[in-house]
């Protein structure tokens, strides 16, 4: 196996600036890809990630677009095209990672219509239209990875609407894999478990950390790098015979 499985490829990682997306961006770049590090609000975080990649000898650039608002997918691709051209790189891409997402730690009684619409707009609608508008840019033989969640595998009412938004992404993954098979494009979902990022501020509480850690058979929280390794594989040429799959990256939560 080559240590640079993404050599010569271009990748776009949505929400690639922080957390799991940052680790995915760094991993794909370390393995040879030119990486578009997308972000929505935190410009400094995106610039930091790009600088880290370049300092490690990789190639990356930042792409700004707020997701969850009307016209988000078109805005993202317009900015991607512009920034890619500024790199003097060939247009198009090989790998799309739909990673950007938000959570909603509320039970059914406490979810407002506004919460629900915003959650689905970012977690579900945005990836759908990013793929739809990106299809002509993604090269044959490429890969799409949708970042789902282990919480679509069991009942988790504490974040019910969030789990539904990711459940829809799983169904999207399956149908899209069939649609894009003739082009040799793989489509898979990678499902993290409890992972140490800023998405869940309650992880700062030692008792909650212990409880979430105990959910994994390895008795620890996932690190963004744990997830990035699985995404890199799913996006890579070595996984070219695997498509339409939901790949657990939870450290064995509730098995
Ligand atoms: N951490 C976990 O325990 C866990 C578990 C299962 C699944 N996941 C999934 O993994 C993915 C990454 O989560 P994470 O924990 O790494 O989250 P995070 O640390 O909060 O990072 C979220 C990323 O998404 C971007 N983003 C969020 N809302 C956006 C918007 N409206 N428009 C554009 N970009 C936006 C953020 O960029 P800006 O800040 O610049 O907007 C940031 O780069 C999500 O899809 C999440 O659902 C996480």
């Amino acid at each position: 196996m080559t240590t640079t499985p993404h050599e010569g490829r271009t990748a776009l990682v949505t929400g690639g600036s922080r957390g799991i997306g940052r680790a995915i961006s760094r991993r794909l770049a370390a393995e040879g890809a030119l990486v578009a590090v997308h972000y929505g609000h935190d410009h400094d975080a995106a610039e930091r990630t790009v600088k880290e990649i370049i300092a490690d000898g990789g190639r990356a650039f930042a792409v700004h677009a707020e997701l969850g608002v009307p016209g988000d997918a078109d805005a993202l691709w317009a900015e991607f095209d512009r920034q890619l051209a500024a790199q003097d790189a060939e247009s198009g891409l090989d790998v799309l990672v739909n990673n950007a997402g938000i959570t909603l730690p509320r039970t059914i009684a406490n979810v407002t219509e506004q919460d629900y619409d915003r959650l689905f707009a970012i977690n579900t609608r945005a990836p759908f239209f990013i793929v739809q508008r990106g299809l002509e840019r993604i090269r044959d033989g490429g890969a799409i990875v949708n970042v789902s969640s282990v919480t679509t595998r069991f009942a988790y009412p504490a974040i019910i609407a969030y789990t539904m938004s990711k459940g829809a992404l799983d169904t999207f993954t399956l149908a899209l894999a069939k649609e894009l098979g003739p082009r040799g494009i793989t489509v898979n979902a990678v499902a993290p478990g409890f992972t140490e990022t800023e998405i869940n501020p309650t992880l700062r509480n030692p008792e909650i950390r212990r409880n979430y850690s105990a959910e994994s058979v390895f008795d620890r929280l996932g690190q963004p790098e744990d997830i990035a390794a699985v995404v890199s594989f799913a996006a890579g040429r070595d996984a070219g015979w695997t498509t339409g799959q939901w790949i657990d990256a939870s450290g064995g939560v509730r098995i």
Side-chain angles (χ1 to χ4, degrees):
M1 200 184 77
T2 164
T3 54
T4 52
H6 296 290
E7 194 68 52
R9 303 174 107 196
T10 298
L12 167 62
V13 182
T14 70
S17 54
R18 298 191 288 111
I20 291 170
R22 167 175 168 267
I24 295 169
S25 295
R26 294 192 67 178
R27 174 90 188 211
L28 295 179
E31 293 177 340
L34 167 62
V35 179
V37 176
H38 161 264
Y39 70 101
H41 308 90
D42 191 341
H43 173 79
D44 290 350
E47 280 305 320
R48 258 198 313 278
T49 299
V50 167
K51 279 194 184 133
E52 284 168 356
I53 288 171
I54 291 169
D56 289 344
R59 294 188 307 146
F61 58 93
V63 170
H64 173 253
E66 180 173 357
L67 303 181
V69 296
D72 52 3
D74 286 334
L76 169 70
W77 286 119
E79 184 64 5
F80 171 84
D81 292 345
R82 207 166 66 79
Q83 297 296 344
L84 188 65
Q87 302 289 314
D88 262 345
E90 188 190 344
S91 62
L93 73 164
D94 306 281
V95 174
L96 168 64
V97 183
N98 281 310
N99 162 78
I102 59 167
T103 189
L104 184 64
R106 293 194 189 146
T107 55
I108 186 168
N110 298 308
V111 175
T112 67
E113 291 182 9
Q114 287 84 354
D115 289 337
Y116 184 98
D117 287 347
R118 179 169 155 71
L119 185 75
F120 272 75
I122 295 170
N123 288 7
T124 310
R125 200 186 84 119
F128 183 95
F129 287 102
I130 289 169
V131 170
Q132 185 200 67
R133 309 290 157 95
L135 278 179
E136 69 204 28
R137 294 175 175 86
I138 301 171
R139 284 186 270 279
D140 290 2
I144 297 172
V145 179
N146 296 320
V147 177
S148 177
S149 167
V150 74
T151 58
T152 67
R153 176 156 62 72
F154 47 79
Y156 207 67
I159 50 172
I160 186 167
Y162 171 82
T163 66
M164 290 166 63
S165 74
K166 293 295 188 179
L169 204 57
D170 294 347
T171 307
F172 178 50
T173 301
L174 191 60
L176 200 58
K178 185 148 187 163
E179 167 108 11
L180 298 184
R183 292 184 51 195
I185 296 172
T186 61
V187 187
N188 291 290
V190 169
F194 303 98
T195 311
E196 191 152 17
T197 71
E198 291 163 5
I199 204 171
N200 192 352
T202 62
L203 284 179
R204 293 192 204 112
N205 175 319
E207 193 185 333
I208 292 176
R209 285 180 74 86
R210 263 196 308 278
N211 291 343
Y212 283 161
S213 299
E215 292 270 11
S216 159
V217 296
F218 303 122
D219 197 18
R220 69 168 175 85
L221 294 171
Q223 294 303 312
E225 292 72 21
D226 295 322
I227 317 306
V230 182
V231 170
S232 165
F233 169 72
R237 297 179 179 101
D238 285 347
W241 198 236
T242 296
T243 197
Q245 299 307 298
W246 186 91
I247 303 170
D248 187 286
S250 75
V253 163
R254 299 195 194 186
I255 51 174

